[in-house]
Amino acid sequence: MPQTLENFCNQIHSEITLFFDLDGTLVSTNIANNLAYSAAIKLVLDFTAPNHLTRITRQSLASICPSLTQSQYDDIVKAKEHIYPQYLTNTTLNKELATVLIRYSKSNQTVLVTNSRKDRAYLLLQHHQLVKQFTHIVCRPSNTKQNKYQRAITELNIEPSTILAFEDEKAGIHHALSVGILPHHIWSN
């Protein structure tokens, strides 16, 4: 994988499709996510969750609140989704990648490829005024766990060798490689 974004972008020509991951790549959302979860926990349990250096997820709720019932869990998740928009100002746009997106959205297919739910992805994109920069937005359908790159390639009928992907997570890079996206076509910050 090329070390600089500038070198990586030298590979872009008119036949290349650009895939952008959302959380952690195009927009940093950990602070907003954790603030929303903490507020939801406080609302539902009247309990102040300790500050987390790592991202709070649905899976990690049980370790934060060990005696959590299913009903409380469901209420926290629902409250978090309702509260999350209040914390959008705590998300940070990766300006360097946004510049790449805006520049190449005029000449190339640009695809948001994310495991976020559609409503949350649009909320973030609207907040950062990026919705119109994408030719396609491929989100996670309901609560399924599927390789987001496989889903996008299948839905859009794109040859993996013509894709350049921007991805921050090791698992995402592995998924991109597993569907045939070339190693030198993956940029990770």
Side-chain angles (χ1 to χ4, degrees):
M1 290 180 238
Q3 290 190 348
T4 68
L5 183 58
E6 182 179 347
N7 287 344
F8 183 78
C9 289
N10 286 336
Q11 302 177 85
I12 300 173
H13 56 79
S14 62
E15 301 300 314
I16 292 290
T17 299
L18 303 176
F19 278 13
F20 290 85
D21 172 56
L22 181 59
D23 290 314
T25 303
L26 189 57
V27 179
S28 177
T29 59
N30 283 354
I31 293 171
N33 178 76
N34 287 2
L35 289 170
Y37 262 122
S38 294
I41 291 167
K42 178 73 172 163
L43 181 70
V44 173
L45 301 177
D46 196 26
F47 166 73
T48 302
N51 288 336
H52 279 78
L53 298 177
T54 59
R55 185 177 182 91
I56 299 173
T57 65
R58 292 177 185 205
Q59 293 75 28
S60 68
L61 281 176
S63 66
I64 296 167
C65 310
S67 59
L68 198 62
T69 67
Q70 185 63 47
S71 175
Q72 290 169 325
Y73 170 87
D74 294 341
D75 289 347
I76 290 170
V77 170
K78 185 176 179 181
K80 184 260 185 181
E81 296 308 320
H82 180 73
I83 293 168
Y84 186 79
Q86 298 173 31
Y87 295 101
L88 286 173
T89 56
N90 295 98
T91 63
T92 306
L93 180 65
N94 180 328
K95 292 178 182 174
E96 194 176 24
L97 275 188
T99 300
V100 171
L101 170 62
I102 292 165
R103 176 179 176 193
Y104 290 102
S105 67
K106 296 168 182 57
S107 58
N108 295 72
Q109 278 197 90
T110 52
V111 183
L112 181 74
V113 181
T114 182
N115 284 323
S116 292
R117 290 178 335 282
K118 185 176 182 177
D119 59 334
R120 188 170 165 283
Y122 273 92
L123 188 69
L124 283 164
L125 293 176
Q126 288 166 347
H127 178 74
H128 292 286
Q129 301 176 346
L130 293 175
V131 174
K132 293 181 181 179
Q133 304 304 321
F134 289 101
T135 52
H136 304 285
I137 296 176
V138 180
C139 299
R140 177 186 75 195
S142 52
N143 287 327
T144 62
K145 288 280 187 184
Q146 180 189 9
N147 182 331
K148 64 187 176 184
Y149 291 101
Q150 183 64 60
R151 186 171 55 249
I153 288 167
T154 301
E155 281 182 26
L156 304 174
N157 194 27
I158 298 173
E159 175 60 40
S161 65
T162 66
I163 297 168
L164 292 185
F166 298 89
E167 173 63 61
D168 72 310
E169 292 185 357
K170 288 181 182 180
I173 293 168
H174 174 74
H175 287 150
L177 292 168
S178 74
V179 297
I181 297 176
L182 304 171
H184 63 282
H185 281 193
I186 302 170
W187 185 81
S188 181
N189 51 350

